[in-house]
Amino acid sequence: MSDVSLHPARLGPRDVLRVGVVGLRTRLMRVFLSALGIAIGIATMVAVVGISTSSRADLMAKLDRLGTDMLTVEAGAPLHGGDGAPKLPKEAVAMVSRIGPVHKVSAIALLKDTTVRRNELVPAERNGGINVMAADLDLLGAVSGGMAHGRWFTSATAAYPTVVLGASTATRLGASPGELVWIGEDRFTVIGVMQPLELAVDLDTAALVGWEAAEKRLGFDGHPTRLYERSKDEAVASVRAVLTRTVNPQAPETVQVSRPSDALTAKEAASGSLTGLMLGLGAVALLVGGVGVANTMVISVLERRQEIGLRRSMGATRGQIRIQFLTEALLLSGLGGAVGALLGALATFGFATVQGWPTLVPVWALGGGLGATVAIGMIAGLYPAVQASRLPPTEALSSS
């Protein structure tokens, strides 16, 4: 009679999956609470990355639309601490336009001590924070602006008592094209309302009058207080280096040059620190979820000692017991990760839609989140799986 060697039955992938699912189905509430911690962590991380990416995409689209080639030139403090109001030379626009790469240049002038009111019955001191500015004809194009209602100045209307209102100014005054407002002690006809300006936000709270009309009716001396300049993208740095001496060769120290688009990128950079903080909170939530999975699996091993002993006595190997409990841990964490990734993507979509941003959830964020859940499941389930496999069958069967 020949010797017959016995070999333990092998568990196929379907068998491993089946025994893992059965272990979870018998403890649904505990599984739900454990998976919830993983889901919260993954949802937070995916949402933070998705919202940050969507915000950055919106910024890039905004910069592409507005351009990063605009520089503003303003008069700083008077030289030697003089008392006069900061002003630029009258010839500033003409001088800047002679710089080779410059293709647009425009100017505004703040008219101090000039008020705008809805009608003559409103006291002059109740100005509502609205500035009156003189604007030249090229301003709208230089700031990439548009008209919400009415029209911009022409060479004809700029010489007459007409006014174009910023977006916020029109709301505050309750005025629309065709109506009259009082600027100083004179009546001006509203001919247009501008759209909100993202690179020149102070114009939203201004009332703009034509350059010539300001000189004739409001005592304007012709000195601009700010220039808007656009040049080729590759020449912005070189133009910026020569602007101060070009605008005021005799006192370049009194001229300040800035790039409005830098404020938008700085805002995005500032939000990056908050993104890092939220990612850290998501990682903490994920760690807590991993601890919850490990706790669930340890309790599961303690509660199922008789089941483990029975399977061992029927021929299950230690390796098969390890695989069973490790599969349960992976399924538990994977379930939480999948739900979390879905919730994170939905949160990104909802927030981006409300903000009017494009919705972008990087594939690497979803993949990384699911990969993290697999790692968490492996780590959290390894110790309980090893402990379960080491239980002697007789001791496990005798436990109550």
Side-chain angles (χ1 to χ4, degrees), residues 333-347:
S333 60
L335 175 64
V339 172
L342 177 61
L343 291 177
L346 291 176

Side-chain angles (χ1 to χ4, degrees), residues 11 30 92 119-120 139 144 214 230 247 252 290 302 306 383:
L11 290 177
R30 188 184 300 168
N119 56 56
E120 71 275 18
L139 178 65
S144 297
R230 287 188 181 270
V247 171
L302 294 176
Q306 290 185 341
Y383 174 76

Side-chain angles (χ1 to χ4, degrees), residues 252-293:
E253 301 87 354
T254 65
V255 179
Q256 299 176 348
V257 180
S258 60
R259 192 176 187 176
S261 60
D262 289 346
L264 294 177
T265 54
K267 181 180 179 181
E268 177 65 22
S271 67
S273 58
L274 181 60
T275 298
L277 174 62
M278 295 302 295
L279 283 174
L281 293 176
V284 171
L286 187 59
L287 179 61
V288 172
V291 172
V293 171

Side-chain angles (χ1 to χ4, degrees), residues 53-68 264-265 268:
T53 304
S54 299
S55 173
R56 194 173 299 112
D58 178 70
L59 174 63
M60 292 299 104
K62 188 180 298 181
L63 291 177
D64 287 341
R65 184 179 73 254
L66 300 174
T68 59
L264 294 177
T265 54
E268 177 65 22

